[in-house]
Short mmCIF file of all heavy atoms in Angstrom, two decimals:
data_model
loop_
_atom_site.label_atom_id
_atom_site.label_comp_id
_atom_site.label_asym_id
_atom_site.label_seq_id
_atom_site.Cartn_x
_atom_site.Cartn_y
_atom_site.Cartn_z
N GLU A 1 44.70 12.38 18.91
CA GLU A 1 43.66 13.04 19.70
C GLU A 1 42.28 12.79 19.14
O GLU A 1 41.31 12.51 19.88
CB GLU A 1 43.93 14.55 19.81
CG GLU A 1 45.09 14.91 20.69
CD GLU A 1 44.86 14.58 22.15
OE1 GLU A 1 43.74 14.78 22.65
OE2 GLU A 1 45.82 14.11 22.78
N LEU A 2 42.15 12.88 17.82
CA LEU A 2 40.85 12.61 17.18
C LEU A 2 40.42 11.16 17.38
O LEU A 2 39.25 10.89 17.64
CB LEU A 2 40.90 12.94 15.69
CG LEU A 2 40.93 14.42 15.35
CD1 LEU A 2 41.15 14.63 13.86
CD2 LEU A 2 39.63 15.08 15.76
N VAL A 3 41.35 10.24 17.27
CA VAL A 3 41.03 8.82 17.50
C VAL A 3 40.58 8.62 18.93
O VAL A 3 39.61 7.90 19.20
CB VAL A 3 42.23 7.91 17.13
CG1 VAL A 3 42.02 6.49 17.61
CG2 VAL A 3 42.52 7.95 15.65
N TYR A 4 41.27 9.27 19.86
CA TYR A 4 40.91 9.16 21.30
C TYR A 4 39.47 9.67 21.52
O TYR A 4 38.67 9.00 22.20
CB TYR A 4 41.90 9.95 22.15
CG TYR A 4 41.53 9.99 23.60
CD1 TYR A 4 41.77 8.90 24.42
CD2 TYR A 4 40.93 11.13 24.15
CE1 TYR A 4 41.41 8.94 25.76
CE2 TYR A 4 40.58 11.18 25.49
CZ TYR A 4 40.82 10.08 26.30
OH TYR A 4 40.46 10.12 27.60
N VAL A 5 39.14 10.83 20.96
CA VAL A 5 37.81 11.39 21.14
C VAL A 5 36.75 10.47 20.51
O VAL A 5 35.73 10.18 21.12
CB VAL A 5 37.73 12.81 20.51
CG1 VAL A 5 36.29 13.29 20.41
CG2 VAL A 5 38.56 13.78 21.32
N ARG A 6 37.02 10.00 19.31
CA ARG A 6 36.08 9.10 18.64
C ARG A 6 35.85 7.83 19.45
O ARG A 6 34.73 7.40 19.66
CB ARG A 6 36.58 8.74 17.24
CG ARG A 6 35.60 7.82 16.50
CD ARG A 6 36.18 7.15 15.31
NE ARG A 6 37.30 6.31 15.70
CZ ARG A 6 38.14 5.79 14.84
NH1 ARG A 6 38.02 6.05 13.56
NH2 ARG A 6 39.13 5.03 15.23
N ASN A 7 36.92 7.22 19.93
CA ASN A 7 36.80 6.00 20.70
C ASN A 7 36.07 6.23 22.02
O ASN A 7 35.29 5.40 22.45
CB ASN A 7 38.17 5.37 20.95
CG ASN A 7 38.77 4.82 19.68
OD1 ASN A 7 38.08 4.61 18.68
ND2 ASN A 7 40.09 4.60 19.69
N ALA A 8 36.33 7.36 22.65
CA ALA A 8 35.64 7.68 23.90
C ALA A 8 34.16 7.85 23.66
O ALA A 8 33.32 7.36 24.45
CB ALA A 8 36.23 8.96 24.51
N LEU A 9 33.78 8.48 22.57
CA LEU A 9 32.36 8.63 22.24
C LEU A 9 31.69 7.32 21.90
O LEU A 9 30.57 7.05 22.29
CB LEU A 9 32.18 9.63 21.09
CG LEU A 9 32.40 11.09 21.48
CD1 LEU A 9 32.42 11.94 20.23
CD2 LEU A 9 31.35 11.56 22.45
N HIS A 10 32.43 6.47 21.18
CA HIS A 10 31.85 5.16 20.84
C HIS A 10 31.67 4.31 22.08
O HIS A 10 30.79 3.46 22.11
CB HIS A 10 32.76 4.44 19.83
CG HIS A 10 32.52 4.86 18.42
ND1 HIS A 10 31.39 4.55 17.71
CD2 HIS A 10 33.30 5.60 17.59
CE1 HIS A 10 31.46 5.06 16.50
NE2 HIS A 10 32.62 5.70 16.39
N ALA A 11 32.48 4.51 23.10
CA ALA A 11 32.38 3.70 24.32
C ALA A 11 31.21 4.12 25.17
O ALA A 11 30.75 3.35 26.01
CB ALA A 11 33.69 3.84 25.11
N LEU A 12 30.71 5.34 25.00
CA LEU A 12 29.56 5.80 25.78
C LEU A 12 28.27 5.10 25.34
O LEU A 12 28.09 4.84 24.16
CB LEU A 12 29.37 7.31 25.61
CG LEU A 12 30.41 8.24 26.22
CD1 LEU A 12 30.11 9.68 25.82
CD2 LEU A 12 30.44 8.09 27.74
N PRO A 13 27.40 4.86 26.28
CA PRO A 13 26.07 4.31 25.90
C PRO A 13 25.32 5.36 25.04
O PRO A 13 25.58 6.56 25.15
CB PRO A 13 25.34 4.10 27.23
CG PRO A 13 26.35 4.24 28.30
CD PRO A 13 27.52 4.98 27.73
N GLN A 14 24.42 4.90 24.24
CA GLN A 14 23.64 5.77 23.35
C GLN A 14 22.98 6.89 24.11
O GLN A 14 22.93 8.02 23.66
CB GLN A 14 22.62 4.93 22.56
CG GLN A 14 21.89 5.71 21.50
CD GLN A 14 22.78 6.07 20.31
OE1 GLN A 14 23.82 5.50 20.11
NE2 GLN A 14 22.34 7.02 19.52
N THR A 15 22.45 6.61 25.29
CA THR A 15 21.74 7.63 26.08
C THR A 15 22.69 8.74 26.49
O THR A 15 22.30 9.92 26.48
CB THR A 15 21.06 7.01 27.31
OG1 THR A 15 22.06 6.31 28.07
CG2 THR A 15 19.95 6.05 26.93
N GLU A 16 23.91 8.40 26.86
CA GLU A 16 24.91 9.42 27.24
C GLU A 16 25.30 10.27 26.04
O GLU A 16 25.47 11.48 26.14
CB GLU A 16 26.14 8.77 27.85
CG GLU A 16 25.93 8.16 29.24
CD GLU A 16 25.55 9.22 30.25
OE1 GLU A 16 26.18 10.28 30.30
OE2 GLU A 16 24.61 8.95 31.02
N ARG A 17 25.45 9.63 24.89
CA ARG A 17 25.79 10.38 23.66
C ARG A 17 24.68 11.35 23.32
O ARG A 17 24.93 12.50 22.93
CB ARG A 17 26.02 9.44 22.49
CG ARG A 17 27.37 8.77 22.54
CD ARG A 17 27.63 8.07 21.25
NE ARG A 17 27.71 6.65 21.52
CZ ARG A 17 27.60 5.69 20.63
NH1 ARG A 17 27.42 6.00 19.35
NH2 ARG A 17 27.70 4.45 20.95
N LEU A 18 23.42 10.93 23.46
CA LEU A 18 22.32 11.83 23.17
C LEU A 18 22.27 12.99 24.13
O LEU A 18 21.92 14.12 23.76
CB LEU A 18 20.99 11.06 23.21
CG LEU A 18 20.75 10.16 21.99
CD1 LEU A 18 19.50 9.31 22.19
CD2 LEU A 18 20.64 10.98 20.72
N LYS A 19 22.67 12.79 25.40
CA LYS A 19 22.74 13.90 26.37
C LYS A 19 23.78 14.92 25.92
O LYS A 19 23.59 16.12 26.07
CB LYS A 19 23.10 13.38 27.78
CG LYS A 19 21.97 12.71 28.48
CD LYS A 19 22.44 12.26 29.85
CE LYS A 19 21.46 11.32 30.51
NZ LYS A 19 21.97 10.81 31.80
N LEU A 20 24.90 14.42 25.40
CA LEU A 20 25.97 15.35 24.97
C LEU A 20 25.61 16.10 23.71
O LEU A 20 25.96 17.27 23.55
CB LEU A 20 27.27 14.55 24.71
CG LEU A 20 27.97 13.98 25.94
CD1 LEU A 20 29.11 13.10 25.50
CD2 LEU A 20 28.49 15.11 26.83
N PHE A 21 24.93 15.43 22.79
CA PHE A 21 24.70 16.03 21.47
C PHE A 21 23.25 16.49 21.24
O PHE A 21 23.00 17.22 20.31
CB PHE A 21 25.06 15.03 20.37
CG PHE A 21 26.53 14.85 20.21
CD1 PHE A 21 27.19 13.80 20.83
CD2 PHE A 21 27.28 15.72 19.45
CE1 PHE A 21 28.55 13.61 20.69
CE2 PHE A 21 28.66 15.55 19.31
CZ PHE A 21 29.28 14.50 19.92
N LYS A 22 22.34 16.05 22.07
CA LYS A 22 20.91 16.44 22.01
C LYS A 22 20.19 15.90 20.78
O LYS A 22 19.07 15.48 20.87
CB LYS A 22 20.71 17.97 22.08
CG LYS A 22 21.38 18.62 23.27
CD LYS A 22 20.71 18.22 24.57
CE LYS A 22 21.32 18.99 25.72
NZ LYS A 22 21.47 18.24 26.91
N ARG A 23 20.80 15.97 19.61
CA ARG A 23 20.13 15.51 18.38
C ARG A 23 20.96 14.39 17.76
O ARG A 23 22.15 14.54 17.52
CB ARG A 23 20.03 16.67 17.38
CG ARG A 23 19.06 17.74 17.82
CD ARG A 23 18.92 18.87 16.82
NE ARG A 23 19.29 18.56 15.46
CZ ARG A 23 19.93 19.44 14.69
NH1 ARG A 23 20.26 20.63 15.13
NH2 ARG A 23 20.22 19.11 13.45
N ALA A 24 20.29 13.29 17.48
CA ALA A 24 20.99 12.11 16.92
C ALA A 24 21.59 12.41 15.55
O ALA A 24 22.68 11.96 15.25
CB ALA A 24 20.02 10.94 16.84
N ASP A 25 20.90 13.19 14.72
CA ASP A 25 21.42 13.49 13.38
C ASP A 25 22.71 14.31 13.46
O ASP A 25 23.65 14.10 12.71
CB ASP A 25 20.38 14.15 12.52
CG ASP A 25 19.96 15.52 13.02
OD1 ASP A 25 19.77 15.67 14.27
OD2 ASP A 25 19.76 16.44 12.20
#
């Protein structure tokens, strides 16, 4: 499950990841 979540996040474009997390750090 952790590998799946990590891979799904890595597959998202940077802009989508920033929308999910708000802060890059």
Side-chain angles (χ1 to χ4, degrees):
E1 288 293 320
L2 286 173
V3 169
Y4 175 78
V5 168
R6 181 195 60 193
N7 290 343
L9 287 171
H10 278 289
L12 291 174
Q14 187 71 18
T15 56
E16 290 296 315
R17 282 190 245 164
L18 285 173
K19 284 181 192 175
L20 289 173
F21 288 96
K22 306 292 186 218
R23 291 181 22 218
D25 63 319

